[in-house]
Amino acid sequence: MSGAYVSGGSFAAALYDADGKAAKEVWIPIQRAFGPLQVARIGIGWDSPMFSLGFDGGVSLGPLKIVLTELTLVLPIDHPTDFDRYELDLQGLSISFDEPPVEIAGAFAKITSADHDGNPMVGYAGAAAVVVGPFGLAALGEYGHVTTPAGEYTTMFIFAVVDAPLGGIPPYFFVTAAAAGFGYNSELIIPAFDAVTTFPLVAGLDDPAFLAVSDPKKGLAAIGESIRPRQGQYWLAAGVRFTSFELVESVALIVVEFGAELEIALLGLSKLKLPPEGHAFISIEMGIEIVIKPDEGFFGASAVLTAGSYLLAEACHITGGFAFFLWYGNNAHAGQFVLTIGGYYSGFVAPMRPDYYPDIPIVGFNWVVSDTVTIKGGGYFALTPSQVMTGGGLDLMFHAGPIRAWFIAQFDVVIGWAPFHLLAHIAVDIGISLHLKFLFINVTITLELGCNVTVWGPPTGGTVTIHLLIISFTISFGRPQDAIAPTLGWPDFQATLPAPSPADAKRPVRQNVIKVVANGGVTGTIDEADGTTTWVVRPDHFVFSVHSAIPAATVTVTGATNVDYAAPAVSFRPMGLEGMSSAQTVSMTAEVDGHAGSVDLAHDWIHAAATQDLPEAVWGPGAPPAKVVEPTSIPGMAIGLTGVAPRPPTPVTTGAIDIATAFTYFPINEAPAALPINAVAAPTGGPAPTADDDALDRIATTIATTAAPARAALFAALRRIGVDPGIDGPLDLLAANPTGTYGANPLIGAPILAGVQ
């Protein structure tokens, strides 16, 4: 270190590290103990005009130990009495207490990272563990401040696991640990379906040591990008670890994210070993995930075996997975879905297979029986909007010295529809080879017999390929695979549409191509004599939609002037028809005093075009191919209307009304001492009447049992004080149809009968 004082009051200094290079901070090792105080090192720093003092060390008081990491005090050397400019910083702290049966350990460290949008975050990550006998608790959390162009915000999260035999009544659900957590201005990144078992919160619930209590930076490193700051996003998590009949160990974690985006997920892990102790003949470990993203229009459910799963012997690895993904709503892939068990047909690859389809491992096994014998096999099944596929295979390999032998069998079946397509492939191969070496001569003798059969259609065709020794030949039959498939007529195409509703005593047969669906505001239904159904609706809440199984190039809403919604052209590929004039017209009539009249649905009602991505194999242009096609979709095809509702009336302002001159009134008979009733008195004995969106529904369901007896008691009380309230009429009609009496939701209040004499 070097320094100088300059006349006038300024001060200059420079620090140097062990290599003689200039540095802003230097740490000096001490490694000394002064009673309970342990000093590991001290530091000094200089960044004109700020001078800093640093300390590394701790205190030991019996079972209690406290360790500080880089405790630093920074002060202005030019104005040492300006305490507002002092800074205190701490890079980390750890505390431990070990006095059986109680063990406590905790630590936190200063960290830097970035939020969802790349804004810098500075904060502290902490971890703690408490063990009391057989009970243990481990927790990991983070607190920090994020600096954005618009200002700062605070972020935090905590996740804790109670590791203890909490018990359970049924033997299939004995809880051995529980966990909970939450995040504020924090985003939880749900893992991919094949990474559930290594997801930090699942792994931490399965083994609390994963949270790395002794080193919070290590714990945060394990979490990685799974949790990061995000303004306006929050999450809650709760889970348990449990056993079933002491054979299956499982972890289940429910996560709900809300705020900027809504996401719900169930993450799970299950393990089975038989027998539980010693060498296991069965070991299965499976990660399970169910994810719902309403804002994105996505639902996914999946389960995948991990690499640690085997049967009979550890050398017999088993694989497999299941997935059901569905895209809906405003998602760009709405209308698409996929169900797969074990993956897909080997020819179902990009670009035929969409890149957003899950990649699931085949359901099968791979068994290295010995140094000479290997057996593997598996199967799959998949269903997409345009096809179904299934298949499987078995491979047996023998290799001993110069001798090799094999048996290979495989089958695949792929079926498409609208129109029907079939592709089937069966292959069997059997062979043996002998490798001979004499002097400088190497000779391999191979005997092989194989047969591959491929069939497609319609039109039906196929090939048979025979492999025999060094000879291979193919025999073709039927029509070539690239031939044009026969087109469907309207009756056959109509059979692919939604089936009609069956007739019954009340309703005739009706085609389900077009559906009118009530989305809200229906309070009841009336079955008419002609088989139709009448909705009883609330005008201020009524919403309906119109959906058609056949898309339209134009959707017309009728009125004084029609409103047209244009959409992509419609073709009928199975019928070989392109650019057809497919139009949908939606109109409404109203019956008043027995006379039907048209309603200006176009302008007096709110509406929007309902669109959906539909399979190109059905509604795309071109001739129907004689082979299975990719499950591509045509985006934005019109299927009807959505959000159809009465347009709210334009508010009318009447201005001030002079009650004294605008209304006729008369004073209440004041003869009885109990009258008049105080008009400004507050309600007593119960809550004041309040607005309730479900007021009409409550009137319909409770007026006969609650309000009617209360009103009868009130009428009786008024009569006892000499006031004639009139006739206490029945309330049956009001209960049956409250919308006919009230134009909007009235205030609802609890009946108050206390003190009525």
Side-chain angles (χ1 to χ4, degrees), residues 539-563:
D540 58 335
H541 286 70
F542 180 50
V543 181
F544 73 93
S545 57
V546 181
H547 291 168
S548 172
I550 300 177
T554 304
V555 179
T556 299
V557 187
T558 61
T561 56
N562 295 342
V563 174

Side-chain angles (χ1 to χ4, degrees), residues 28-42 55-60 66-67:
I28 304 171
I30 302 298
Q31 302 298 335
R32 294 287 301 275
F34 304 92
L37 178 65
Q38 297 178 349
V39 181
R41 59 177 185 165
I42 59 173
F55 172 81
D56 261 8
V59 177
S60 296
I66 302 175
V67 177

Side-chain angles (χ1 to χ4, degrees), residues 21 138 303 327 444 575 608 685 717:
K21 297 180 180 179
W327 296 265
T444 300
M575 300 177 64

Side-chain angles (χ1 to χ4, degrees), residues 238-263:
V240 293
R241 185 178 72 224
F242 62 96
T243 63
S244 300
F245 303 102
E246 299 185 357
L247 295 177
V248 182
E249 297 181 0
S250 301
V251 167
L253 183 72
I254 297 177
V255 176
V256 179
E257 288 197 82
F258 54 95
E261 295 179 2
L262 175 62
E263 187 170 1

